[in-house]
Amino acid sequence: MAQRRPLIAGNWKMHGLKADTGWVEAFAAAADTGACDVLVCPPFTLLETMGGLLSRHGLALGAQNCAEEAEGAFTGDVSAAMLADAGCSHVIVGHSERREGHAESDALVRRKALAAIEAGLVPVICVGEHRAERESGQAVETVLAQLAGSLPDISATQLVVAYEPVWAIGTGLTAGPEEAQAMHAAIRAAFPGADRDRLRILYGGSVKPGNAAALMACPDVDGALVGGASLDPDAFAQIVNLAS
Ligand code: 13P
């Protein structure tokens, strides 16, 4: 991790109303962000409001999804350019909740990542295996295949990868540090060229203040993508402080 600045990202998923935006001040009062980048991904409806509040504290704004198209007759979709226009620097693509709940394929995730890059955003590309794949010894193979299908042909410095084992999301289960490290090393090794050492690979799946330090101590774990615990400003600040 020495050559990569840690990134701690919060994915609020479908949580948060305007009344919850006091989160930013509470988080900023509790967090030491001197040695760590912080990204917050609220729902679309809060992007404008949260963006203004976050930028005062040097915190980055991201969205949780984008359309593959740049614009057009796509009712209900939001383009990457619109997200950039709303103040986003990042967008999550390929989260397992979208791969599963919205039947998003690797090829679609790849096109979304490309749309993000074209709009000047950094895509946070999510990959992760199911429990059965891990139990049958197919975890690395599954994740590397997903990654190969989801990655546009771009430099490792233009994106972030998030390894989120599906069985660890929202379950209270996490990959142990050895499992996480092995997967992150395999992901890094799949990137060609010297850029691979600059790629930031986040771990996600039930990251909490109590397990973040052990995960973050792994040499190829460059930060976390935090779901549930990111809704609590104190818990999220504790995770950030552990990574700094
Ligand atoms: P939890 O931290 O709630 O398990 O969610 C992880 C996640 O899906 C982040 O994108």
Side-chain angles (χ1 to χ4, degrees):
M1 183 146 97
Q3 53 192 323
R4 298 177 291 274
R5 191 173 155 88
L7 170 64
I8 305 295
N11 174 9
W12 281 20
K13 307 191 178 183
M14 200 171 72
H15 297 282
L17 300 172
K18 271 187 234 162
D20 301 311
T21 54
W23 182 100
V24 178
E25 290 307 318
F27 169 78
D32 171 7
T33 56
C36 172
D37 292 336
V38 176
L39 169 68
V40 183
C41 303
F44 289 134
T45 49
L46 290 183
L47 288 176
E48 290 279 358
T49 315
M50 290 283 288
L53 299 170
L54 291 167
S55 67
R56 280 188 226 156
H57 296 283
L59 310 171
L61 178 73
Q64 301 171 17
N65 180 35
C66 68
E68 60 176 308
E69 301 87 358
E71 65 176 346
F74 302 104
T75 302
D77 283 340
V78 176
S79 74
M82 291 169 182
L83 299 178
D85 191 47
C88 292
S89 53
H90 292 68
V91 59
I92 297 170
V93 292
H95 193 282
S96 63
E97 288 155 12
R98 295 210 60 87
R99 288 179 183 270
E100 289 180 9
H102 299 267
E104 293 197 1
S105 64
D106 289 345
L108 176 59
V109 173
R110 185 178 188 280
R111 292 195 297 273
K112 289 186 174 195
L114 206 51
I117 301 267
E118 279 164 5
L121 300 177
V122 176
V124 178
I125 302 175
C126 301
V127 289
E129 83 285 0
H130 289 89
R131 172 174 286 286
E133 289 153 346
R134 176 153 291 274
E135 286 174 351
S136 64
Q138 307 287 300
V140 170
E141 194 181 317
T142 303
V143 166
L144 293 187
Q146 226 177 34
L147 191 64
S150 307
L151 266 182
D153 189 17
I154 51 171
S155 152
T157 56
Q158 292 175 281
L159 64 118
V160 171
V161 172
Y163 167 55
E164 299 205 306
V166 178
W167 50 270
I169 295 176
T171 58
L173 302 170
T174 44
E178 299 79 20
E179 286 170 317
Q181 169 55 28
M183 184 65 81
H184 282 228
I187 291 171
R188 191 176 307 287
F191 277 80
D195 276 354
R196 72 156 61 119
D197 289 330
R198 291 165 64 197
L199 171 70
R200 292 200 285 192
I201 310 173
L202 313 184
Y203 173 80
S206 297
V207 175
K208 310 282 177 209
N211 59 26
L215 287 161
M216 236 75 79
C218 301
D220 285 296
V221 175
D222 306 309
L225 181 54
V226 184
S230 73
L231 297 172
D232 174 347
D234 291 316
F236 193 59
Q238 281 181 55
I239 295 169
V240 165
N241 294 348
L242 286 166
S244 291

